[in-house]
């Protein structure tokens, strides 16, 4: 059968390497930004101020109010600053929370975005906005939320705590795992996915051994870029749906939730996505993909049970109901009882089971 596929590469500009923060003013000028608002979380205020210093007169405001899961009320508050300061561009430094706030503002305004990631979440590479309102997280795909430029400066990740680095890298890996069995994947994205998983599989143990190892950090950022590109080019399935439910409805931490759920979601789909699982196993130098994902995270000291990251056991039934309420593409049909069993295994931190 002849090979057939459709692929539309992202129009983003990617700047990758060490010391690239110095290029932020030039990249802002390239985007026509003259009154930038620098975004961060409260804990990254000093980094935001550093970016503002590099921007010089192009910085009109600093807003360190980004929060996990992008609450709509935080975006509402940010819009007052956008209007008051006549902001004409957004510069986000941080992880997925900060990128999410920038995307939420861009969704309302279509302002250009320049992102400087400090984690491996990959949100900066997608046209997907996940935001939370009234205890429920919803997703939107829209070209307006895709950042125009991403600056990957390896130096910005050197001080990321090892524990955070591990779960952030596992989060990135999840994008590629699901991208391998997405119905709209293609050979190019499959190559990116497998290489991204391989790079992260090498980087995670390296970072655990030495958190400031620039080579390991570079591999992690490279892998995150590839996996994020896969996320941006395909649709997601059970794994991401479960993580959105657990994060949006139960307030669980984003990257840690991805880390716990990934091996179990892979096991759920393994029999119906054998080629994808073979690629994951090959990338990790293992025989069984779900077990290899579980062992990689466990050996790196990551949390392995939902109960350890704040999930109440009496919420598992509701999570299973929400996750199966609306149909979405997934290699294996969505069965409420089977997903409830998956969540129970994840809550206890058991080895993934098919």
């Amino acid at each position: 059968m002849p090979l057939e596929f459709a692929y539309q590469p992202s129009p983003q500009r990617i700047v990758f390497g060490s010391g690239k923060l110095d290029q932020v003013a030039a990249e802002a000028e390239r985007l026509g930004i003259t009154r930038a608002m620098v975004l961060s979380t409260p804990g990254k205020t000093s980094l935001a101020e550093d970016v503002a210093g590099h921007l010089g007169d192009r910085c009109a405001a600093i807003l360190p109010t980004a929060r996990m899961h992008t609450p709509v009320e935080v975006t509402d508050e940010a819009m007052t600053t956008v209007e008051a300061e006549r902001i004409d561009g957004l510069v986000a430094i941080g992880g997925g929370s900060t990128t999410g706030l920038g995307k939420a503002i861009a969704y309302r305004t279509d302002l250009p975005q320049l992102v400087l990631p400090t984690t491996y979440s990959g949100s900066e590479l997608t046209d997907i906005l996940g935001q939370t309102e009234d205890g429920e997280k919803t997703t939107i795909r829209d070209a307006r939320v895709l950042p125009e430029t991403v600056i990957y400066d390896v130096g910005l990740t050197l001080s990321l705590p090892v524990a955070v680095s591990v779960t952030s890298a596992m989060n990135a890996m999840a994008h590629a795992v699901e991208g391998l069995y997405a119905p709209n994947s293609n050979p190019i994205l499959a190559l990116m996915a497998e290489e991204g998983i391989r790079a992260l599989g090498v980087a995670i143990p390296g970072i655990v051994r030495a958190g400031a190892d620039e080579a390991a950090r570079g591999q992690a950022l490279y892998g995150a870029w590839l996996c994020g590109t896969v996320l941006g080019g395909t649709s997601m399935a059970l794994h991401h749906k479960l993580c959105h439910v657990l994060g949006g409805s139960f307030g669980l931490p984003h990257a840690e939730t991805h880390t716990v759920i990934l091996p179990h979601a892979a096991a759920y789909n393994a029999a119906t996505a054998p080629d994808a699982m073979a690629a994951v196993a090959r990338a990790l130098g293992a025989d069984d993909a779900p077990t290899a994902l579980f062992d990689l995270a466990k050996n790196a000291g990551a949390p392995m049970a939902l109960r350890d990251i704040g999930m109440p056991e009496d919420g598992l039934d509701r999570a299973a109901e929400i996750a199966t309420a609306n149909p979405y593409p997934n290699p294996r049909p969505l069965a409420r009882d089977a997903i409830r069993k998956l969540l129970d295994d994840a809550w206890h931190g058991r080895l993934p089971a098919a």
Side-chain angles (χ1 to χ4, degrees), residues 12 38-41 44 63 65-70 75 90-107 113-130 144-152:
Q12 286 180 308
V38 179
L39 304 171
S40 77
T41 58
K44 298 291 185 183
L63 193 69
T65 61
R67 282 171 46 198
M68 188 169 59
H69 303 306
T70 318
T75 307
L90 308 166
V91 179
I93 182 161
S97 297
T98 304
T99 302
L101 177 57
K103 292 165 88 169
I105 296 170
Y107 179 64
Q113 302 173 76
L114 195 167
V115 181
L116 297 101
T118 61
T119 69
Y120 310 121
S121 73
S123 174
E124 67 279 357
L125 293 160
T126 79
D127 62 354
I128 304 168
L129 167 62
R144 286 172 292 180
V145 310
L146 180 71
E148 282 75 8
T149 301
V150 182
I151 298 178
Y152 287 108

Side-chain angles (χ1 to χ4, degrees), residues 18-286:
S18 295
K20 298 302 182 182
L21 175 58
D22 291 344
Q23 296 185 24
V24 68
E27 293 300 326
E29 181 180 9
R30 180 188 292 271
L31 292 173
I33 298 174
T34 61
R35 294 188 60 78
M37 181 162 71
V38 179
L39 304 171
S40 77
T41 58
K44 298 291 185 183
T45 301
S46 61
L47 267 181
E49 292 171 346
D50 190 17
V51 171
H54 279 79
L55 287 168
D57 292 342
R58 291 183 186 276
C59 180
I62 298 175
L63 193 69
T65 61
R67 282 171 46 198
M68 188 169 59
H69 303 306
T70 318
V72 169
E73 61 268 22
V74 173
T75 307
D76 291 339
E77 293 170 4
M79 286 301 301
T80 63
T81 303
V82 170
E83 294 162 3
E85 298 296 336
R86 295 175 288 112
I87 300 300
D88 65 4
L90 308 166
V91 179
I93 182 161
S97 297
T98 304
T99 302
L101 177 57
K103 292 165 88 169
I105 296 170
Y107 179 64
R108 301 186 187 193
T109 63
D110 204 20
L111 289 174
Q113 302 173 76
L114 195 167
V115 181
L116 297 101
T118 61
T119 69
Y120 310 121
S121 73
S123 174
E124 67 279 357
L125 293 160
T126 79
D127 62 354
I128 304 168
L129 167 62
Q131 55 187 358
T132 305
E133 185 173 17
D134 298 329
E136 184 174 351
K137 190 167 186 177
T138 58
T139 57
I140 299 165
R141 294 198 85 138
D142 191 288
R144 286 172 292 180
V145 310
L146 180 71
E148 282 75 8
T149 301
V150 182
I151 298 178
Y152 287 108
D153 186 335
V154 177
L156 292 174
T157 67
L158 294 179
S159 62
L160 188 67
V162 170
V164 178
S165 301
V166 170
T167 55
S168 184
M170 292 299 298
N171 176 18
M173 196 176 289
H175 308 329
V177 172
E178 288 223 298
L180 281 166
Y181 54 62
N184 56 348
S185 188
N186 61 63
I188 306 304
L189 290 174
L191 288 170
M192 290 183 173
E194 187 168 341
E195 172 65 2
I197 293 168
R198 183 210 61 79
L200 289 166
V202 170
I204 289 171
I207 291 170
V208 171
R209 286 192 297 269
D213 183 339
E214 190 165 352
R217 292 290 184 177
Q219 280 290 299
L221 205 56
Y222 163 67
W225 166 52
L226 290 170
C227 293
T229 300
V230 173
L231 174 65
T234 61
S235 57
M236 295 292 102
L238 174 64
H239 170 83
H240 282 76
K241 177 65 174 182
L242 286 175
C243 291
H244 280 183
V245 169
L246 296 170
S249 298
F250 298 92
L252 268 58
H254 185 78
E256 289 87 343
T257 304
H258 278 269
T259 302
V260 173
I261 292 295
L262 178 57
H264 299 280
Y268 184 94
N269 285 323
T272 47
D275 291 344
M277 292 302 107
V280 175
R282 189 166 55 241
L284 295 177

Side-chain angles (χ1 to χ4, degrees), residues 282-306:
R282 189 166 55 241
L284 295 177
D287 295 325
D288 180 72
T291 302
L293 293 166
F294 186 90
D295 289 345
L296 178 64
K298 183 178 181 179
N299 292 339
M304 302 306 298
L306 290 177

